[in-house]
């Protein structure tokens, strides 16, 4: 980081006739770069939700049924069917995709997903 700061400092100092309002120290430049990177990462799919809630599941549902139904939107990373203590499904699950785009596409599809003859929400 010291080399980067030194290079930035040399660049700022090498620009002729820079008005005082536009000149900045290397630390200021580092802070500005860090803020831009944080904003870019915040807007990227790396930090956007990749999981969706799926309700109104039929009683005989299993992970294979869910993965098969949702793979058309993108690669399904994980399926978690919520169950009662006795092991019977509660009627809802969470599907986790590898990227947020697939999750958004699945949500956009609305109520057009049928699993075992039942429309899921």
């Amino acid at each position: 980081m010291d080399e980067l700061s030194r290079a930035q400092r040399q660049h700022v100092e090498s620009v002729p006739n820079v008005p005082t309002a536009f000149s900045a120290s290397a630390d200021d430049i580092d802070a500005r770069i860090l803020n831009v990177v944080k904003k870019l990462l915040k807007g990227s799919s790396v930090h956007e939700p990749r999981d969706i809630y799926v309700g109104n599941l039929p009683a005989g549902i299993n992970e294979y049924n869910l993965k098969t139904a949702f793979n058309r939107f993108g690669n399904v990373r994980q399926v978690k069917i919520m169950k009662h203590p006795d092991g019977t499904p509660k009627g809802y699950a969470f599907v986790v995709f590898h990227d947020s785009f697939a999750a958004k596409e699945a949500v956009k599809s609305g109520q057009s997903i049928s699993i075992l003859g039942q429309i899921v929400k």
Side-chain angles (χ1 to χ4, degrees), residues 37-63:
V37 169
K38 283 180 181 178
K39 287 178 183 177
L40 289 173
L41 287 176
K42 187 176 182 181
S44 74
S45 63
V46 173
H47 296 289
E48 290 182 10
R50 295 176 291 159
D51 57 328
I52 63 169
Y53 166 88
V54 183
N56 197 39
L57 296 176
I61 194 73
N62 61 39
E63 288 186 15

Side-chain angles (χ1 to χ4, degrees), residues 9 14-15 23 27 34 48-49 51 57-58 76 82 98 108 117:
R9 191 174 296 114
S14 69
V15 178
S23 62
D27 290 335
L34 184 58
E48 290 182 10
D51 57 328
L57 296 176
V76 174
M82 305 311 291
H98 278 281
K108 279 184 194 176

Side-chain angles (χ1 to χ4, degrees), residues 40-101:
L40 289 173
L41 287 176
K42 187 176 182 181
S44 74
S45 63
V46 173
H47 296 289
E48 290 182 10
R50 295 176 291 159
D51 57 328
I52 63 169
Y53 166 88
V54 183
N56 197 39
L57 296 176
I61 194 73
N62 61 39
E63 288 186 15
Y64 176 78
N65 299 133
L66 279 170
K67 281 185 179 182
T68 302
F70 284 93
N71 264 334
R72 65 181 167 163
F73 301 106
N75 197 2
V76 174
R77 182 176 174 189
Q78 180 184 15
V79 171
K80 177 68 175 167
I81 299 172
M82 305 311 291
K83 297 181 180 183
H84 293 286
D86 66 359
T88 58
K90 291 184 175 183
Y92 68 96
F94 294 94
V95 176
V96 181
F97 293 92
H98 278 281
D99 60 66
S100 62
F101 179 78

